[in-house]
Amino acid sequence: MDQIQIGKFIAVCRKAQGLTQAQLAEQLNITDRAVSKWETGRSLPDAALMLPLCGILKIDLNELFCGRRIEMENYKEIAEKNLLEMKQREEQYNKHMLRAMYVFGFTGIAASLALMIGGAYVAEYSDLNALAIVLIVLGAVMLIPTIIYAMILEHAAGYYACKECGERFTVSIWKMTFAPHFGTTRYMRCPHCGKRGWQKKVMTKD
Ligand SMILES: [Zn+2]
């Protein structure tokens, strides 16, 4: 319970009823100093006074304890709206990650291939064998960070949906990397039902 919040709420409700601190105090048969102490959050109303106070302020006990009006309809609506917004934000983020993975992955692989093809070309049409080896090795070595980074991005983006039980799950980046794949669909064991299958990438948890 937030005493300050409750105090502010009492003050708001009292004013809404058109009462002064003294008038409220009089109705409850207490001093206006006690009302002032509630409203500044220095004390809470005695348990015995809570129901009469709620009656005068036209609120219920739950609202008094929360220090705000509770309207169930609105409450549900607000909660759902927040949830939807969070979901959309997550979806956006995951899509962005996946796009980054494709762009980075394809660029990296294309650059690696260009270096290796360049190396093969040099080896074929010139005597610069050392240069050819450097180009080919460089191209091959570049593949490693490209793949690692692409795996990190793919792993960060979304979840896998099990075809058998419908559960959406994540796996370790290690398991993901070594699972056979077709695009981002990977052949893995579902951690929930234990069945193996081609698990499709999805952007949200449900
Ligand atoms: Zn499953």
Side-chain angles (χ1 to χ4, degrees), residues 115-136:
L115 282 170
M116 288 193 276
I117 290 167
Y121 190 86
V122 168
E124 185 69 27
Y125 297 103
S126 75
D127 297 325
L128 301 167
N129 283 335
L131 176 63
I133 289 168
V134 167
L135 287 176
I136 290 167

Side-chain angles (χ1 to χ4, degrees), residues 101-118:
M101 187 272 284
Y102 279 122
V103 171
F104 183 82
F106 282 129
T107 311
I109 288 167
S112 294
L113 285 177
L115 282 170
M116 288 193 276
I117 290 167

Side-chain angles (χ1 to χ4, degrees), residues 18 24 27 30 33 38 42-43 52 60 66-67 71-72 78 115 129 137 151 160 166 180 182 188 197 203:
L24 176 62
Q27 289 194 37
I30 53 170
R33 196 169 148 64
W38 302 341
R42 279 174 294 161
S43 72
D60 64 36
C66 291
E71 282 161 42
M72 276 330 275
I78 288 163
L115 282 170
N129 283 335
V137 169
M151 287 301 104
Y160 292 97
F182 184 75
M188 292 181 298
M203 293 296 103

